[in-house]
């Protein structure tokens, strides 16, 4: 099996040494996954202005196809994970592709329209500039490009999603409103999609409490273990009656 971690350009991390640990603020540790028998891929994403979602899909799919030709990767056992903007990319990619058998998206933007018209909890000012000139790279307001904002919002494409999705966020997240994660989860629930949401009290954009870090990392490993390795379904992931 292989797990793909997404977040803009990552080739600069090629020679980094990462100690295996359960105490990861985003639940992802490449060395831990490698030690558990996974291939780990960190692709670079090159962006087209006004189309960050499609850019992520194109680059990640191309990288996965290249990896499959170079290593004995099982196409049927692919996972994808990301947090923050990588969480947005993860959630968007799985609404456009059935390549992945499991996904984990944390602290993620899921609705560009509501995100644009929100107040950032860290600097208490409008988030509009972020969508026009920062990571989302939309280069215009929704008033000039409603269709583009909708096309790049994972929430608007939930009906096409077939990948089991584990969502998580901190309830005190000042960077991305936790309601963005809740909206995505409610969309999954309404359409009967397979997914689970983890909410961490008193946590911000990345988890800081060691016990929460350990909990999230363990659950990420459980999630991939169940969906990619055929291990028993963890009790915490089973739907509540």
């Amino acid at each position: 099996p292989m797990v793909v971690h997404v977040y803009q350009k990552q080739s600069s991390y090629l020679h980094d040494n990462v100690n295996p640990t359960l105490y990861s603020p985003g639940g992802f540790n490449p060395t831990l996954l490698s030690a558990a028998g996974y291939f780990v891929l960190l692709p670079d994403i090159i962006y087209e202005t006004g189309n960050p979602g499609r850019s992520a899909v194109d680059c990640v799919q191309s990288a996965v196809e290249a990896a499959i030709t170079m290593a004995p990767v099982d196409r049927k056992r692919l996972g994808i994970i990301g947090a923050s903007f990588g969480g947005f990319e993860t959630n968007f990619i799985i609404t456009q592709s059935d390549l992945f058998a499991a996904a984990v998206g944390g602290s993620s933007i899921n609705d560009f329209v509501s995100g644009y018209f929100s107040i950032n909890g860290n600097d208490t000012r409008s988030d509009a500039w972020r969508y026009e000139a920062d990571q989302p790279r939309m280069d215009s307001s929704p008033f000039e490009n409603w269709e583009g904002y909708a096309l790049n919002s994972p929430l608007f494409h939930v009906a096409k999603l077939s990948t089991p999705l584990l969502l998580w966020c901190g309830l005190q997240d000042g960077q991305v409103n936790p309601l963005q994660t809740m909206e995505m989860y409610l969309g999954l629930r309404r359409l009967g999609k397979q997914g689970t949401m983890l909410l961490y009290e008193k946590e911000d954009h990345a988890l800081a409490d060691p016990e929460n870090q350990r909990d999230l990392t363990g659950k990420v490993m459980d999630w991939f273990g169940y969906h990619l390795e055929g291990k028993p379904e963890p009790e915490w992931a089973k739907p509540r009656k």
Side-chain angles (χ1 to χ4, degrees), residues 56 157 180:
H157 306 285
Q180 290 274 332

Side-chain angles (χ1 to χ4, degrees), residues 5 12 15 46 59 78 89 118-119 143 201 208 218 227 241:
H5 179 268
S12 60
H15 300 295
I46 309 299
C59 291
L78 301 174
E89 292 170 325
S118 67
I119 301 299
F143 299 106
E201 296 183 9
H227 291 288
K241 297 181 179 180

Side-chain angles (χ1 to χ4, degrees), residues 27-104:
F28 170 73
N29 183 283
T31 310
L32 193 66
L33 285 162
S34 294
Y38 293 88
F39 284 97
V40 180
L41 177 64
L42 280 67
D44 280 351
I45 298 174
I46 309 299
Y47 296 93
E48 173 190 352
T49 299
N51 210 1
R54 189 71 248 175
S55 299
V57 174
D58 291 344
C59 291
V60 170
Q61 285 192 147
S62 296
V64 169
E65 293 297 337
I68 289 173
T69 66
M70 299 168 64
V73 174
D74 187 344
R75 178 184 292 274
K76 295 182 180 180
R77 296 194 291 161
L78 301 174
I80 185 169
I81 184 172
S84 190
F85 198 66
F88 148 70
E89 292 170 325
T90 294
N91 296 351
F92 186 85
I93 289 168
I94 62 173
T95 66
Q96 307 297 307
S97 170
D98 59 2
L99 188 61
F100 297 96
V104 180

